[in-house]
């Protein structure tokens, strides 16, 4: 399997993985008090570079002068006519870093959990760079490519990389094959990015976790809640790719579709065998599956689904045969499969999420006072679904950017639905200010004024008598 496609979207897991006692899962509960501190970005442990950087290129016979079918499906000109190009909106990208280039002029770094000196502006995997290209790449007369929101500000935090590994792995353990990036560092990166002013955060990084071997995601759940509820950030995540690596390096096993005959669990949480994090925190995260250029669930060259299904999937977006930039800003549409020694097309839910993050940026530009929840509702309510029900493949349907920007969407004013491990404690009432010093001062002043008035009166009487 293409190392770049299979691993670049996978977050390594370092927490203990005890065996579960039951086969079914329920939606995750979140501890709102477990938000990790916003400490300076840096790796959880010493890392070393273990692999050469990913090689990207252009497939033979490609016409780079025309937009790809995936880009054409998004209808960028229609979105730009109604919402502009995203000026004034900051999109955070938590990924493998982003390589600066002239086609990404609004890019800045905000931290690095692999190499702090790089500050998020080095991408050995060329994964985060392609994600950033789709979100905010500049158009050019030399080719047909453009990002969805080319005037948006892009902020990069490198949180993972397949090229780096722990400097001192534990021999004989699955951790010996881990790569840079952990659930803990993802949680920290989300908090850091939310505090850095991002209005949209794209997370094309996925922790693929067997349901029977759960890991501790306490800080991750608290971090996504903090960003969405407390900081009003739109969180967009890749749903994950079928066949990606899990704990222990097994392939991600596919989850079942909906169970419409079960009114108590129609999205089939009880049938889940593989958890996709952070997507499964669906109260706060908009999870995106991959579609083809016609809006149907995407399949690979062997006819197998690309998306890891799940009851958390919110919408679908194009995720096959996409384009992006290389380290020099040139357009590429393939990555080298080192096992087969050939270039293969760029596919996956990572890039589907990038398209949706671009749409979210345009919505926030057009409706600057719309809360994050309203942005998500607009995207979901206007999506086109080929199925009669909300399914676990592409959720509410395939994203429709122009509709999300222009349709009159009634927004749900009810409080955000949450599953918390502890009740939210309202902050204590603000103490009443201590006015005693002021009253004493005023009292003293009034007394002094009274004495002064009396003295003036006595003097005046004395003058009259004389």
């Amino acid at each position: 399997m293409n190392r770049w496609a299979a691993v670049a979207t996978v977050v390594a897991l370092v927490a203990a993985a005890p065996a579960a006692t039951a086969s079914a899962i329920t939606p995750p509960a979140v501890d709102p008090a477990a938000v990790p501190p916003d400490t300076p970005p840096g790796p959880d442990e010493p890392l070393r570079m273990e692999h050469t950087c990913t090689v990207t290129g252009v497939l033979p016979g490609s016409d780079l002068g025309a937009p790809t079918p995936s880009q054409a499906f998004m209808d960028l000109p229609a979105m730009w006519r109604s919402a502009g190009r995203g000026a004034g909106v900051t999109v955070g990208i938590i990924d493998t870093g982003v390589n600066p280039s002239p086609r990404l002029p609004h890019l800045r770094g905000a931290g690095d959990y692999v190499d702090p000196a790089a500050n998020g502006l080095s991408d050995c995997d060329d994964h985060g760079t392609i994600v950033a290209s789709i979100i905010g790449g500049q158009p050019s007369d030399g080719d047909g490519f453009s990002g969805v929101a080319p005037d948006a500000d892009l902020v990069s935090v490198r949180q993972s990389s397949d090229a780096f590994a722990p400097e001192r792995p534990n021999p004989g353990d699955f951790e010996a094959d881990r790569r840079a990036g952990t659930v803990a560092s993802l949680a920290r990166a989300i908090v850091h990015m939310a505090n850095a002013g991002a209005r949209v955060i794209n997370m094309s990084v996925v922790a693929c976790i067997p349901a029977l071997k759960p890991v501790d995601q306490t800080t991750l759940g608290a971090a996504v809640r903090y960003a969405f509820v407390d900081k009003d950030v739109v969180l967009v995540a890749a749903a994950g790719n079928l066949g990606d690596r899990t704990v222990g390096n097994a392939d991600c096993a596919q989850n079942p579709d909906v169970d419409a005959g079960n009114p108590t669990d129609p999205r089939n949480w009880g049938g889940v065998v593989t958890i996709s994090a952070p997507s499964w925190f669906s109260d706060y995260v908009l999870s995106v599956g991959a579609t083809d250029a016609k809006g149907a669930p995407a399949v690979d060259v062997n006819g197998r689904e690309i998306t890891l299904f799940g009851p958390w999937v919110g919408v679908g977006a194009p995720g096959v045969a996409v384009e992006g930039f290389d380290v020099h800003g040139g357009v590429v549409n393939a990555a080298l499969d080192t096992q087969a020694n050939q270039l293969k097309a760029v596919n996956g839910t990572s890039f589907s999420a990038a398209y949706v993050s671009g749409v979210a940026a345009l919505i926030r530009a057009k409706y600057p006072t719309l809360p994050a929840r309203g942005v998500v509702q607009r995207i979901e309510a206007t999506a086109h679904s080929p199925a009669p029900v909300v399914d676990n493949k592409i959720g509410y349907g395939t994203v429709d950017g122009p509709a999300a920007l222009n349709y009159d969407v009634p927004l749900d004013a009810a409080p955000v639905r949450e599953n918390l491990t502890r009740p939210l404690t309202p902050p204590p009432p603000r103490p009443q200010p201590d006015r005693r010093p002021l009253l004493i001062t005023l009292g003293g002043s009034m007394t002094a004024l009274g004495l002064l008035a009396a003295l003036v009166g006595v003097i005046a009487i004395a003058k009259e008598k004389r």
Side-chain angles (χ1 to χ4, degrees):
M1 180 175 291
N2 182 354
R3 174 173 65 85
W4 177 85
V7 179
T9 59
V10 178
V11 178
L13 301 169
V14 297
T21 57
S23 59
I25 69 166
T26 56
V30 171
D31 181 354
V35 179
D38 186 3
T39 54
D44 295 330
E45 59 187 322
L47 302 172
R48 59 181 172 82
M49 191 169 179
E50 186 171 88
H51 296 295
T52 57
C53 293
T54 298
V55 176
T56 56
V58 178
L59 291 170
S62 299
D63 179 10
L64 299 183
T68 65
S70 292
Q71 182 176 310
F73 176 87
M74 297 300 298
D75 197 357
L76 304 187
M79 289 194 287
W80 294 342
R81 285 193 297 270
S82 61
R85 300 190 179 197
V89 177
T90 299
V91 181
I93 301 169
I94 300 176
D95 212 286
T96 62
V98 178
N99 291 319
S101 76
R103 300 288 293 270
L104 295 170
H106 306 301
L107 170 69
R108 63 182 174 87
D112 205 303
Y113 293 86
V114 177
D115 176 10
N119 196 34
L121 297 179
S122 177
D123 181 13
C124 193
D125 306 82
D126 208 38
H127 182 271
T129 303
I130 293 179
V131 167
S133 307
I134 294 171
I135 295 172
Q138 293 292 303
S140 170
D141 293 336
D143 54 65
F145 179 84
S146 177
V148 177
D151 289 347
D153 295 319
L154 305 180
V155 182
S156 171
V157 166
R158 179 163 60 169
Q159 185 269 331
S160 60
S161 174
D162 184 48
F164 290 80
E167 191 175 282
R168 294 182 292 274
N170 298 325
D173 193 339
F174 76 86
E175 293 189 0
D177 196 39
R178 283 192 292 112
R179 297 293 178 261
T182 67
V183 167
S185 66
L186 178 57
R188 291 166 53 205
I190 292 169
V191 172
H192 183 69
M193 188 69 84
N195 290 342
R199 298 285 283 152
V200 179
I201 295 178
N202 184 89
M203 298 174 287
S204 290
V205 288
V206 179
C208 192
I209 308 166
L212 293 179
K213 294 182 179 180
V215 300
D216 186 358
Q217 299 181 57
T218 303
T219 59
L220 180 58
V224 296
R225 184 192 181 277
Y226 169 79
F228 184 74
V229 176
D230 296 340
K231 302 297 287 186
D232 192 37
V233 180
V234 178
L235 301 176
V236 181
N241 302 331
L242 182 63
D244 277 349
R245 194 176 60 185
T246 69
V247 175
N249 297 323
D251 285 350
C252 290
Q254 184 61 289
N255 292 314
D257 203 352
V258 295
D259 183 4
N262 185 354
T264 61
D265 185 20
R267 294 289 306 258
N268 208 355
W269 282 90
V272 169
V273 295
T274 305
I275 295 168
S276 173
S279 280
W280 80 315
F281 293 101
S282 54
D283 289 346
Y284 317 106
V285 178
L286 177 58
S287 177
V288 186
T291 72
D292 60 21
K294 296 181 180 179
V299 296
D300 62 19
V301 293
N302 298 315
R304 189 176 72 159
E305 303 97 346
I306 289 178
T307 302
L308 175 66
F309 302 163
W312 43 78
V313 176
V315 293
V320 295
V322 299
E323 294 178 348
F325 303 143
D326 62 13
V327 65
H328 305 296
V331 175
V332 295
N333 61 8
L336 180 65
D337 184 331
T338 55
Q339 295 180 2
N341 194 31
Q342 68 181 36
L343 290 172
K344 290 191 175 181
V346 175
N347 300 326
T349 60
S350 291
F351 315 110
S352 306
Y355 275 119
V356 173
S357 288
V359 173
L362 296 183
I363 294 174
R364 300 221 89 163
K366 184 172 183 177
Y367 305 99
T369 62
L370 185 67
R373 188 180 180 215
V375 175
V376 174
Q377 288 176 353
R378 273 193 163 273
I379 293 172
E380 292 182 339
T382 55
H384 291 271
S385 177
V389 297
V390 178
D391 64 21
N392 289 353
K393 300 177 181 180
I394 54 173
Y396 288 85
T398 305
V399 66
D400 184 335
L405 286 164
N406 296 303
Y407 281 14
D408 183 11
V409 177
L411 301 180
D412 185 0
V416 177
R417 178 178 59 86
E418 297 192 80
N419 182 21
L420 304 178
T421 60
R422 67 179 77 188
L424 287 173
T425 304
R430 297 179 60 182
Q432 294 296 322
D434 187 357
R435 294 189 173 87
R436 287 177 297 177
L438 177 61
L439 295 176
I440 293 173
T441 301
L442 289 175
S445 299
M446 294 301 294
T447 301
L449 288 174
L451 291 174
L452 180 61
L455 178 60
V456 171
V458 170
I459 293 173
I461 293 173
K463 286 182 177 180
E464 289 181 1
K465 288 183 178 182
R466 286 197 300 268

